[in-house]
Amino acid sequence: MDYQALLDEVVDAVQPHMGHGRAAQYIPALASVDVDRFGMAVADVDGEVAGVGDWQVPFSVQSVSKVFSLALVLARDGEDIWRRVGREPSGNPFNSLVQLEYENGIPRNPFINAGALVITDRLLSLTEDPSGTVLEFLREESGNRSVAIDEEVAASETAHGDRNAALAHFMASYGNFDNPVPTVLDHYSRQCSIAMSCRDLALAGGFLARHGLRADGTRLLAGREAKRVNAVMLTCGTYDAAGDFAYRVGLPGKSGVGGGIIAVVPGRCTVCVWSPGLDARGNSVAGTAALDAFTTLTGWSVF
Ligand code: GLN
């Protein structure tokens, strides 16, 4: 497959969607990012990587980080975590509070904010430094030691984190938290504030396409666990737009409000696309269109 030619075709197909949508407004440090930016990278299972546009420009990974924290908990703890968090789509916005009360403080899935906070709480118990553990994993898998936390974004997110604090305290009131809420919130914000490029993220997500094998050939997850992470990405990775994402793209995917999305073609490659203009559900407009074009041109949807 000539990835470079493919990516050029994708860029052509996406032109009508470029610059559409708005950058996330509720985290001020993200609000000023230029919505005209667009980058895309494909890393195949052998670690070959091709890219187009702003594919080497770091951006705020935000909720894309939730795939990695979940994988790191599963790698250390196995399936125990599913007693504390579900794996069903929520059908609600990623930062919604309503379901938590009906469902006794058990979040629907690990990719909405409430679920990701539970994952961070568990990773704190397991490692003492969840954001540092995620950061180190991303550096190792991407081969880029300069991947770092953007301190300005982290501070902005913490200063405007009342909603996440509410979610966390609410779950703590149901006994679904083992550590102090402020410590978990701090690590969660820092993990979301990691800045890295499409190139780095496509490489870092390689284990999902390699059925659990890391870049150096060692095993992070058993094949059946990698299958499960991909399944939860497909059903929950784009929040209340997961049905539409499956309809258009047909791959496991995880988005973030920085405008990044990673998508996995199991056995073949991991794709990362970035464009900061978001739709009403918090997913990149041009990014989703690019992945739609990618699977339409290649026939690599899982369907
Ligand atoms: N850090 C963001 C938040 O907590 C992540 C949300 C997202 O990317 N969807 O709201």
Side-chain angles (χ1 to χ4, degrees), residues 26-27 62-63 66 94 113 157 164 188 192 239 255-258:
Y26 74 106
I27 301 173
Q62 294 296 317
S63 286
K66 294 172 183 174
F94 60 80
N113 288 10
E157 184 152 340
N164 288 333
Y188 169 84
C192 288
Y239 323 111
S255 61
V257 292

Side-chain angles (χ1 to χ4, degrees), residues 258-281:
I261 309 176
I262 64 167
V264 183
V265 185
R268 199 185 282 271
C269 61
T270 303
V271 186
C272 179
V273 61
W274 170 56
S275 192
L278 307 179
D279 62 20
R281 282 136 161 192

Side-chain angles (χ1 to χ4, degrees), residues 26-134:
Y26 74 106
I27 301 173
L30 298 181
S32 55
V33 180
D34 179 4
V35 292
D36 290 325
R37 310 225 64 170
F38 177 89
M40 189 165 181
V42 182
D44 75 11
V45 285
D46 301 322
E48 291 295 311
V49 56
V52 73
D54 297 319
W55 69 295
Q56 304 196 73
V57 176
F59 62 89
S60 191
V61 301
Q62 294 296 317
S63 286
V64 179
S65 65
K66 294 172 183 174
V67 176
F68 299 96
S69 52
L70 173 64
L72 290 166
V73 165
L74 288 173
R76 285 169 172 74
D77 224 9
E79 306 262 331
D80 272 5
I81 192 67
W82 300 120
R83 284 188 298 211
R84 296 180 54 190
V85 59
R87 42 178 192 262
E88 291 293 346
S90 69
N92 280 303
F94 60 80
N95 56 4
S96 171
L97 281 144
V98 288
Q99 260 164 357
L100 268 185
E101 182 164 19
Y102 295 125
E103 299 182 359
N104 303 316
I106 306 289
R108 272 288 172 106
N109 67 69
F111 293 151
I112 52 173
N113 288 10
L117 286 161
V118 168
I119 299 295
T120 300
D121 178 58
R122 187 64 196 144
L123 201 55
L124 178 58
S125 300
L126 292 166
T127 68
E128 291 178 12
D129 180 13
S131 54
T133 302
V134 172

Side-chain angles (χ1 to χ4, degrees), residues 145-166:
R145 300 298 310 171
S146 66
V147 171
I149 292 168
D150 182 328
E151 295 295 342
E152 189 199 335
V153 173
S156 184
E157 184 152 340
T158 301
H160 295 84
D162 292 329
R163 178 72 71 112
N164 288 333

